[in-house]
Amino acid sequence: MSFKDLKISKPILRAVAEAGYDNPTLVQEKTIPLVLDKKDVIVSAQTGTGKTAAFALPILQTLLNQQDAPKKGKTIKALIVSPTRELAIQIEDNFKTYSTYTNLRTTVVYGGTSIEPQKDVLKKGVDILIATPGRLLDLHKQDIINLDYVETLVLDEADLMLDMGFIDDVRKIERLCTKEKQILLFSATIPHKVEQLANSILNLPERVEVAQNSSTSKNVAQVLYYVPKRNKIELCLHLLRNTIKGNIIIFRRTKFGVDKLEKTLLKNGYKADSIHGDKSQTARQDALKRFKKGEVNILIATDVAARGIDITDLDAVVNFDLPNVPETYVHRIGRTARAGNTGIAYSFCSADEKDYIKTIQQLIQLQLDIIEDHPYPLDPKAKPIIHKSNKTGSKHKKGRKSVASKKKKKRWY
Ligand code: AMP
């Protein structure tokens, strides 16, 4: 199938061809006709599948089709809500690329940066707005944003959005748009809470599922090192010296862990940078740019900061800390061995993480290759530290509260 078969017209086809896309990806093939048909759609697909173009292209096409209609000045007709700033910026980049040969205008607004320039752009009028929830609501409250003309609302990375506690904001945003709008919900996984949200706001949604493209990839070697927690940094340095080469992302669970590892690697002469939720927007953008340009070859990240970001050509992913949610492992290693390349995923497991390995292996239906020959083996009798279970679930579950409490709250990602 070609983009032309999907009823994408010339100005967009030209831009898509210049972006180097020959044919639509599976998620695009399945989603584009439904979006053009004005259906509500739930799409489960991860970054890397081409999901951004799966909503961006038909949205642009729909707006292009309407351009003969009398113009009332530009109003926001498509709103894309994204949980993280990096992702929002990336989505804007994509829209701008695909709309190069149209006069459709796109902008992005997100927190952590000055609001005034964003207001100026909005006042001039845009057709497509990409936004993180908090800044969007702020601007709406200040009457800078009018959502009365939104025809398509996209909730991107819905599972992450809910994990980050944006549920109330998302519901509020949905209510601020007109009732008749089309809603497209994209999520890497569809846990119960995403299903609940979808049931309550989508209208007879169609479903598109694109199989996870990572753990099943035969091109990723997945190796496991049992190592005492206190020796993880030494093991990491040992592997960087002897084994791991190329462009690498190292995942840690907390921002504190990310900072600590970054300092150690820099001290040891490695070219590393990092991203996590407590870094300023500019610092995060700079780190990504430096990594993409090849000025540094090691990026240390928390899952939330790295989620959804399009970083390709990775040679290795290091799971310095194992994720407690097994799907996160799949997201992480899905970043390597894209497009037929080979890659390696290294996982470090300390005594208290053994249960995580069990659930990961159950999910991916695969036993990781255990590497025993290394200088910091874990005593097999080492007792795990028992964590108290948290029956109330995520502390972010109830959504973000007041601005004051938000300011006080220290984010772990
Ligand atoms: P996404 O899943 O939206 O983050 O896209 C992942 C990557 O695939 C991005 O670098 C896109 O530019 C690229 N991409 C999207 N659609 C296509 C396509 N049809 N052909 C080739 N590359 C694509």
Side-chain angles (χ1 to χ4, degrees), residues 24-33 43-46 48-55 186 208-210:
T25 63
L26 189 60
V27 69
Q28 291 162 5
E29 233 177 81
K30 290 184 173 179
T31 311
I32 292 174
V43 183
S44 59
Q46 292 179 30
T49 53
K51 69 184 176 66
T52 314
F55 61 79
F186 284 74
V208 172
E209 262 177 60
V210 174

Side-chain angles (χ1 to χ4, degrees), residues 3 16 19-28 45-55 57 87 90 94 98 157 308-312 338:
F3 283 108
V16 163
Y21 306 175
D22 296 327
N23 290 303
T25 63
L26 189 60
V27 69
Q28 291 162 5
Q46 292 179 30
T47 305
T49 53
K51 69 184 176 66
T52 314
F55 61 79
L57 297 178
L87 197 50
Q90 201 170 284
N94 283 13
Y98 309 143
E157 301 273 347
I309 293 169
D310 179 24
I311 300 173
T312 42
R338 286 211 178 137

Side-chain angles (χ1 to χ4, degrees), residues 163 253 322-332 356 359-360 363:
D163 280 349
R253 262 163 48 88
L322 287 175
N324 54 352
V325 178
E327 283 82 5
T328 304
Y329 175 87
V330 177
H331 293 152
R332 289 181 181 181
Y356 299 160
T359 52
I360 289 168
L363 177 77

Side-chain angles (χ1 to χ4, degrees), residues 95-107:
F95 267 97
K96 288 214 154 135
T97 304
Y98 309 143
S99 63
T100 309
Y101 302 107
T102 73
N103 54 12
L104 294 167
R105 219 179 289 156
T106 305
T107 197

Side-chain angles (χ1 to χ4, degrees), residues 62-74 77 103 127 151:
T62 305
L63 296 180
L64 211 57
N65 293 346
Q66 293 172 355
Q67 282 206 320
D68 297 335
K71 282 195 198 128
K72 286 185 241 151
K74 291 208 179 274
K77 288 179 273 312
N103 54 12
D127 303 283
E151 292 167 17

